[in-house]
Structures are given as C-alpha cells and as structure tokens.
Amino acid sequence: MLSENFSLQTLNTFGMNVHARYFASFQNIDTLRYLLKQSTCKEYPLLILGGGSNVLFTSDFQGVVLKNEINGIQLESEDDQFYYVRAGAGVVWHELVMKTLSLGYFGLENMALIPGSVGAAPMQNIGAYGVELKDVFESLEAVRISDGEIVVFSKDQCAFGYRESVFKNTCKGQYVIVSVLFRLNKKQVLKTHYGNIEAELSGMPESDRNPIAVARAVMRIRTSKLPDPALIGNAGSFFKNPEISLAEYERLKLQYPELVAYPVGNDKMKLAAGWLIEKAGWKGVKRGNAACHDKQALVLVNLGDASGIEIFALSEEIIESVHQKFGVYLHREVNIF
Ligand code: FAD
Ligand code: NAP
C-alpha cells in the first residue's frame, strides 16, 4: 500500500520537484488507522498532506507522506439559527464554500477561493477578508496517531489564534484531522467592510447583495492580485502579519507616517507584512527563479525551477532586511519541510 520514492511535484503548490521516501493516500478512517499501524509509519517521520498549498519542501521527505482524501459533505443537524454541516478533511475547501452557499447555508463566503483542504483549515485557523475559520467552527474529529483513537476537539480545545491552533503548538504532529463540523448561518450577515469588497460591490442594487455576490467579489479580487498556483508556484502569504505593542507602533508611525496597521484588541497593532516587505524594496525582486511576487510582496513565488532552498534563502534575506529597516521580526506562515 505504501509507494516508495514517490514524486510530490504535483502535490505541492510551489511545484517543488521532491520525493517522499514512502507515500500513501487514504479515503476513510479505517485505511488511515491501518496505515498508522504499519511499522514503516511508526519508524519514520510522518507528514499528513492535504492540498499542499501551505508547505515548502526544501529537500526530499525522508519519511512517510499520507495524503488525506476523505470526502463527503453532510447536514448533521439544525436549530433555529444554524445548520451544522460536517465535511470530510479531504474535501477541497473552495468546493465546500460554493456547495454550502448554493444550499443557502451562509458564513464561508469571505473565505472563497482559499486553496487547500478542509482538514488543513483548522491547522492555522485560515482566514480572509475579516472572517476566520473559528467564526464558523463547531468541532472537529481527529485520529490520534499514537493509538488510532478518534478524539473530538471543541472550539476552545483547538485554541485558535491568528493563523494558529493547538495543532501547530502543543498537539503538533500528534493528530490527523479527519472531519470538521461547521456552524453555518440561516440568516445572511454580509461582511463587506474589509479590503476592496465594498468597492467591488459598488453599483450593485441592494436587492442583489447576498453571500454569493460577496463570494464572487472576493474571487474577483483574489484572482486579480494573487498568483494562480497552477501557473506560478507559490503557497500564498509566506509570512504572517506581525503584531506589535502600541509603544512600538507609535515609534514606527513617527518614522513612517504611511505605515499600514490595524488594531488587535486594545493593546496591540497588526502590521501589514506585505507593506513592510514592499517598503524594504523587495517587491518583484528575483533571485534566479525564486522571487517576491510583483503584485503582492507577501507572496514568494517559484518562477520556474527554483529549489525550496532558494525560496527559503530569499525568505531569510527578506526577514533580515525588514528587521534592519523596521526593527520588526517576520515569522513564516508556510510550513517548512
Ligand atoms: P497542506 O499544505 O497540505 O498542509 C498544511 C499543514 O497542515 C501541513 O503542516 C500539514 O501536515 C498539515 N495538515 C494538512 N492536512 C491535515 C490534516 N487533515 N490533519 C493534520 N494535519 C494536516 N491561507 C489563509 O489562511 N488565508 C488565505 O486567504 C490564503 N490564501 C492563499 C492563497 C494562495 C494562492 C495559496 C497558494 C495559499 C493560500 N493560503 C491561505 C494558504 C493555504 O491555502 C491554507 O493554509 C490551507 O488551509 C492549506 O491547506 P492544504 O490542504 O493545502 O494544506
Ligand atoms: P489586503 O486587503 O491588501 O490587506 C493587507 C493586510 O491588511 C491584510 O493582510 C489584512 O490582514 C490587513 N487588513 C486589511 N483590511 C483590514 C481591516 N479592515 N481590518 C484588519 N486588517 C485588515 O490583503 P491581501 O493580501 O489582498 O489579502 C486579502 C485577504 O486575504 C486578507 O485577509 C489575507 O489574510 C487573505 N490572504 C491570505 C493569504 C495567506 O496565504 N494566508 C494569501 C492571500 C490572501 P489579515 O491578513 O489579518 O486579514
């Protein structure tokens, strides 16, 4: 069941030409449990792969890659306000967004066109245009790698933060997420204040404004700004937006009055990392085929046959240069292997 020396080139959106020492895919929990019991899976490092849109391989993976292909979307229950919808971890995220909208279940529209799988969404509490996974999340089921038991995680237990969850921290490498239960609204509550959504919808009669129109607006904005991984290798934002103290923000704002920042609670500010990188002079810069995207500096791209090491080296240069200029340290969002 395990293939050896398996090419991952089409399974990561950076298009890195690397191989897994061992590889298998699973379409249900029984197969996953069977695989986890194999001695190879116990002896070698494991990597659970979804759509490969948030990973950078810097070399061949000297372990076992297990690709999640658990499908299925079902309405589990409903109450006065919400539909509770369960999706298999292998469902393509954008397909879930469009399917639920077509059924009149609302809440995922601002997260249209985020690449990847449902199972990876809780890993970094995916988010876009003012909505995060945690806003529509009820619970998830995960298989514990050590003994194959199914464990249910509530929202609190997931400890979601900005591009963070328990699965990137204390539970790192211990669970395979197999399904997610979403709490989707029966009522339409449009969130259009973020980015250019309002501008995209301008001129549209009030009666035509609905979650599907918002999803379409988000899709148009994203398509105009972000490189399509099918054409240019990338993993979306390479870095997180840094959060800094108010005092640090005041210091920077004096020096750079045009600084782009947003409040986080009462005591922190979130800086737009793309702005910092652009102002440090990196937008469009190429190092061979590794480059900082010319429309959105937060995205690093593979223009051809760049290696993971070259992309990583470019990210090091950017971190160093932004730190020198602004005194702010950027952290990578993409998972490096
Ligand atoms: P993968 O890349 O396959 O895996 C990512 C990590 O999760 C790995 O560490 C992997 O081991 C782990 N993992 C995956 N599945 C499971 C599972 N079932 N159980 C346990 N661990 C698992 N992200 C955002 O938050 N917002 C955006 O707007 C956004 N836009 C993007 C735009 C582009 C063009 C691209 C290329 C990426 C973008 N991303 C965005 C990043 C990415 O799409 C998300 O992080 C997505 O959730 C990754 O899903 P995936 O299935 O591809 O995960
Ligand atoms: P943008 O609209 O140019 O905005 C730049 C940054 O400012 C974003 O990162 C966003 O932070 C923040 N921002 C903008 N308006 C805000 C507001 N009203 N309140 C608080 N923060 C605000 O960003 P973009 O690059 O085109 O991306 C648009 C959305 O898609 C963002 O939400 C972004 O996170 C998401 N996206 C994510 C990835 C990824 O790989 N993670 C890739 C592409 C796009 P936030 O990032 O915190 O929202």
Side-chain angles (χ1 to χ4, degrees), residues 136-155:
V136 289
F137 179 93
E138 183 66 16
S139 65
L140 65 76
E141 287 182 343
V143 167
R144 192 158 49 212
I145 290 173
S146 59
D147 60 6
E149 283 302 304
I150 294 182
V151 181
V152 176
F153 283 78
S154 67
K155 184 147 102 177

Side-chain angles (χ1 to χ4, degrees), residues 72-190:
I73 302 174
Q74 300 101 30
L75 175 64
E76 213 164 85
S77 63
E78 61 183 288
D79 57 26
D80 287 353
Q81 267 184 290
F82 300 109
Y83 294 111
Y84 297 85
V85 175
R86 185 173 296 281
V91 169
V92 172
W93 175 264
H94 182 65
E95 287 177 16
L96 174 71
V97 174
M98 297 319 281
K99 169 95 180 165
T100 51
L101 286 175
S102 73
L103 292 168
Y105 308 164
F106 307 125
L108 301 185
E109 52 276 9
N110 292 44
M111 295 190 281
L113 222 54
I114 297 181
S117 60
V118 164
M123 293 296 296
Q124 67 159 17
N125 180 28
I126 59 167
Y129 296 96
V131 178
E132 292 180 337
L133 177 85
K134 70 172 170 49
D135 302 325
V136 289
F137 179 93
E138 183 66 16
S139 65
L140 65 76
E141 287 182 343
V143 167
R144 192 158 49 212
I145 290 173
S146 59
D147 60 6
E149 283 302 304
I150 294 182
V151 181
V152 176
F153 283 78
S154 67
K155 184 147 102 177
D156 282 352
Q157 287 168 322
C158 289
F160 291 126
Y162 169 63
R163 304 288 186 265
E164 284 295 342
S165 76
V166 73
F167 303 104
K168 285 181 83 174
N169 295 293
T170 48
C171 291
K172 191 171 177 170
Q174 295 173 33
Y175 292 91
V176 181
I177 296 167
V178 290
S179 73
V180 178
L181 185 64
F182 295 87
R183 197 184 67 160
L184 300 177
N185 229 317
K186 291 191 166 179
K187 245 180 45 194
Q188 304 186 7
V189 185
L190 304 188

Side-chain angles (χ1 to χ4, degrees), residues 107-112 128-131 191-192 194 197 214-215 218 222:
L108 301 185
E109 52 276 9
N110 292 44
M111 295 190 281
Y129 296 96
V131 178
K191 294 185 183 158
T192 59
Y194 214 85
I197 301 182
V214 171
V218 167
R222 293 183 71 103

